[in-house]
Amino acid sequence: MRGARSAKWVAIAAVVALGATACGGGDSDKGDSKAAVDPNGTFTVESGEPQNPLQPANTMESYGSIVIKSLFTGLVDYDSDGKIVNMNAESVDTKDSKTYTVKLKAGWKFHDGTPVTAESYVKAWNWAANPENKQTNSFWFSDIAGYDQVAPASGKPKATELSGLKVVDENTFTITLTKAIPYFVYKLGYEVFSPLPESFYKDPKAAGEKPVGNGPYQFVSWDHKKAITVKKFADYKGSNAAKNGGVVFKNYSTLETAYEDLKSGNLDVITQVAPKDLPVYKQDLGDRAVDQAYSAIQTIAPAFYTKQWKDINPKVLQGLSMAIDRPTITKTVLQGTREPATGWVAKGVLGFQPNAAGDVTTYNPTKAKQLIKEGGGVPGNAITIQYNTDGGHKEWVEAVCNSITNATGVKCNTDPKADFQADLKARDAKEVKSLYRSGWVLDFPMNANFIRDLFGSKSDGNQSGFSNKTIDDEIAKADSATTLDESVKEYQAIEKQLPNYMPSIPLWYYKVNAGYSEKVSGVKFAQDGDPILTGVQVKK
């Protein structure tokens, strides 16, 4: 999954409020009927420099992910009700939640004209799982049988291919897991499970610079730290074919600069408005202003590998959490565009539950000081919070610091990084000095994605170094549940235990506060917070 920019069930019967990423701008979206539309017109989107080469299994942040999703289409996606929608897959069937048979739709092609086959998936997943290829999301394949042989926790690999993947024929392959996982099909909607063409393996590094996918758009160019350009793929077979001619992802050093470009007509879509402009953007843009919820959460996480937080008593983190005045910060600094979080799972996904954190997210300076004292105090009585300056975070990070200091006397300073890429590199290199901003957007619409993929000891999304055997065991138990409903409930039980361990400090749930220019229509945002690119229409 990706770090958020900056980021349903009643049992299982209720509706999941997801954006229709599989149906980008469907028939119900007529756009502006008064303006003529240019089907070959292109538009620009505010973005930033991806952290890694554009390889599907090597992207865990927003700037790279939005490009990958435009270039690749996987087996499944989700509709507006959160139900599985087959994309490149004709079917994904299982009788026991352990062995899955995948049949592909015939006739799909990569952008280089070669066919998308069962081998295209099996070979891509084997390559991504192999530790020699250093893919940031390799652990996503750990559910598949044979992963422990390909990527053992210690010692040399004993295999180069996952034994759980078998090609049956040109359009059919099977997936065998190490154990039954009732929600595995949901995971297949994440772009890490994309196929790769044969040309990729000749030079994977070069392919990351000029990717060849099978999605609605094909790659044109990447002018590093300036822009990435993609164009409509004419032979695309999916249900979400582009209604425009292409997209330019423009890099911006600050959201404030992007917003000024939007107002002046030099940018068509901004994905998030900076705190400074939140009070005026609806007045400025009128019906072109966007204000909607999406499934992401903002947190701050301790770097548990540091001397300061190693073996810390959770009461100290509980106290810091209760020293943060979330209602005031979200109402004033963030202009009411965020909702104070009461747990670790984002709203709008299967298994969300209110008040999972108990009282640790309730502002209470007296209790905060008491807990910090009972826990032995904050080492050094001072903390820093790392964040990226290009994501509109400066104001709220400063507000959080002030709230903590005023409530507890603990000194708090900000640790700004020039951009999201620099922020992520510091996390990857384990160079965070104290705490860091740690937003998370859904990869698939279930609570497991916000628990297992962030707090499991071996999970790729776990950048903090948090590790707890009890939580790992509970995660394994939840994954082994007989039904999807039972697995969701097990993960709900885990979330209610998290206050005892404090793997991070929940702050607030995200909203999309965005906008678009007069040049485009049909602009909608999915539940992952990204604009649905294929549905955008460009006016002549």
Side-chain angles (χ1 to χ4, degrees):
M1 143 58 264
R2 299 136 28 229
R5 259 179 314 271
S6 46
K8 278 165 187 223
W9 332 322
V10 176
I12 171 157
V15 174
V16 185
L18 286 174
T21 57
C23 311
D27 292 340
S28 62
D29 179 13
K30 303 298 184 183
D32 185 349
S33 59
K34 297 180 181 180
V37 172
D38 179 4
N40 297 313
T42 62
F43 66 100
T44 54
V45 175
E46 161 264 318
S47 192
E49 179 76 356
Q51 181 188 17
N52 295 320
L54 294 171
Q55 301 160 327
N58 206 18
T59 298
M60 201 190 297
E61 42 76 31
S62 299
Y63 296 146
S65 180
I66 191 172
V67 181
I68 290 291
K69 287 189 295 183
S70 75
L71 298 174
F72 292 86
T73 296
L75 297 171
V76 303
D77 208 330
Y78 321 102
D79 71 9
S80 57
D81 293 323
K83 297 177 182 177
I84 297 294
V85 174
N86 290 330
M87 297 300 289
N88 196 183
E90 183 69 44
S91 61
V92 182
D93 296 320
T94 183
K95 294 180 180 179
D96 58 5
S97 296
K98 184 177 181 181
T99 298
Y100 295 78
T101 298
V102 179
K103 292 186 180 295
L104 303 179
K105 294 175 181 176
W108 279 54
K109 295 180 180 180
F110 287 105
H111 302 151
D112 60 6
T114 58
V116 180
T117 66
E119 180 72 15
S120 304
Y121 282 91
V122 169
K123 191 170 182 177
W125 298 2
N126 279 323
W127 186 88
N130 192 323
E132 290 185 1
N133 297 319
K134 296 179 171 59
Q135 297 294 282
T136 56
N137 282 326
S138 63
F139 191 72
W140 276 78
F141 301 95
S142 63
D143 297 320
I144 301 174
Y147 182 82
D148 58 343
Q149 301 292 303
V150 172
S154 60
K156 295 182 179 180
K158 298 179 181 178
T160 57
E161 297 182 351
L162 299 166
S163 60
L165 296 177
K166 302 291 184 185
V167 173
V168 177
D169 58 40
E170 186 176 15
N171 291 316
T172 310
F173 67 100
T174 59
I175 308 166
T176 301
L177 308 181
T178 55
K179 61 183 180 182
I181 297 180
Y183 62 86
F184 186 73
V185 177
Y186 275 84
K187 298 184 70 171
L188 293 177
Y190 187 30
E191 55 262 31
V192 67
F193 293 103
S194 299
L196 292 171
E198 277 301 311
S199 60
F200 174 90
Y201 306 101
K202 296 177 182 178
D203 190 341
K205 183 178 180 180
E209 293 293 317
K210 297 180 178 181
V212 175
N214 68 325
Y217 297 97
Q218 66 184 101
F219 178 83
V220 175
S221 64
W222 185 356
D223 189 358
H224 283 278
K225 296 190 176 181
K226 292 183 179 180
I228 295 174
T229 302
V230 300
K231 66 179 181 180
K232 180 178 181 177
F233 178 43
D235 291 331
Y236 183 62
K237 303 296 183 182
S239 57
N240 58 330
K243 294 182 177 180
N244 51 71
V247 187
V248 178
F249 303 94
K250 292 180 66 174
N251 281 32
Y252 283 92
S253 58
T254 68
L255 292 178
E256 290 85 354
T257 303
Y259 185 66
E260 291 303 315
D261 265 9
L262 181 74
K263 291 193 296 181
S264 63
N266 293 318
L267 175 69
D268 295 314
V269 179
I270 189 171
T271 63
Q272 196 69 43
V273 174
K276 180 181 77 70
D277 298 310
L278 287 174
V280 298
Y281 88 104
K282 290 182 180 180
Q283 179 179 341
D284 288 346
L285 302 179
D287 60 6
R288 292 181 288 110
V290 178
D291 181 359
Q292 71 176 63
Y294 76 105
S295 294
I297 186 170
Q298 186 75 266
T299 67
I300 50 177
F304 288 101
Y305 50 79
T306 61
K307 183 178 180 180
Q308 183 176 41
W309 301 117
K310 189 176 182 180
D311 301 322
I312 194 72
N313 188 322
K315 285 187 176 183
V316 174
L317 295 170
Q318 291 173 356
L320 290 176
S321 178
M322 297 187 76
I324 301 170
D325 188 352
R326 293 165 182 80
T328 297
I329 295 172
T330 54
K331 182 179 180 180
T332 58
V333 179
L334 295 169
Q335 298 293 315
T337 61
R338 303 289 186 271
E339 180 182 345
T342 60
W344 284 265
V345 174
K347 301 186 79 170
V349 302
L350 197 59
F352 170 78
Q353 53 186 342
N355 303 317
D359 64 356
V360 299
T361 57
T362 301
Y363 181 58
N364 187 330
T366 301
K367 187 71 177 291
K369 286 184 284 189
Q370 177 187 335
L371 286 167
I372 291 173
K373 183 178 180 180
E374 290 177 1
V378 173
N381 200 42
I383 60 175
T384 60
I385 302 175
Q386 176 180 301
Y387 71 97
N388 51 301
T389 59
D390 62 344
H393 305 298
K394 179 177 184 290
E395 292 85 354
W396 71 254
V397 173
E398 290 178 345
V400 166
C401 263
N402 290 336
S403 184
I404 289 173
T405 299
N406 292 338
T408 67
V410 174
K411 295 178 182 178
C412 181
N413 290 306
T414 66
D415 183 11
K417 301 300 177 186
D419 52 33
F420 197 20
Q421 191 176 45
D423 176 36
L424 292 170
K425 284 184 176 179
R427 299 191 215 173
D428 291 344
K430 298 190 182 306
E431 294 174 348
V432 176
K433 300 171 185 175
S434 183
L435 299 107
Y436 63 93
R437 180 201 71 81
S438 178
W440 192 258
V441 183
L442 90 167
D443 296 316
F444 60 95
M446 182 184 163
N447 55 357
N449 183 225
F450 289 82
I451 297 175
R452 171 182 168 169
D453 296 314
L454 277 175
F455 307 135
S457 294
K458 297 180 180 179
S459 297
D460 290 325
N462 185 342
Q463 297 175 314
S464 70
F466 174 79
S467 181
N468 184 275
K469 187 178 185 304
T470 299
I471 295 298
D472 286 341
D473 290 344
E474 292 295 322
I475 287 172
K477 179 183 175 184
D479 284 350
S480 299
T482 304
T483 67
L484 178 62
D485 190 18
E486 291 175 5
S487 184
V488 170
K489 290 179 179 177
E490 294 280 2
Y491 272 109
Q492 288 179 319
I494 294 172
E495 187 185 14
K496 288 188 174 180
Q497 296 178 41
L498 293 182
N500 299 323
Y501 305 100
M502 294 301 292
S504 66
I505 297 174
L507 294 180
W508 39 76
Y509 306 118
Y510 265 90
K511 290 180 72 177
V512 176
N513 299 103
Y516 52 94
S517 73
E518 296 178 346
K519 174 185 171 182
V520 295
S521 64
V523 180
K524 294 184 177 180
F525 284 74
Q527 196 61 18
D528 62 2
D530 283 339
I532 302 173
L533 304 174
T534 54
V536 176
Q537 295 177 311
V538 182
K539 300 175 185 178
K540 286 185 177 180

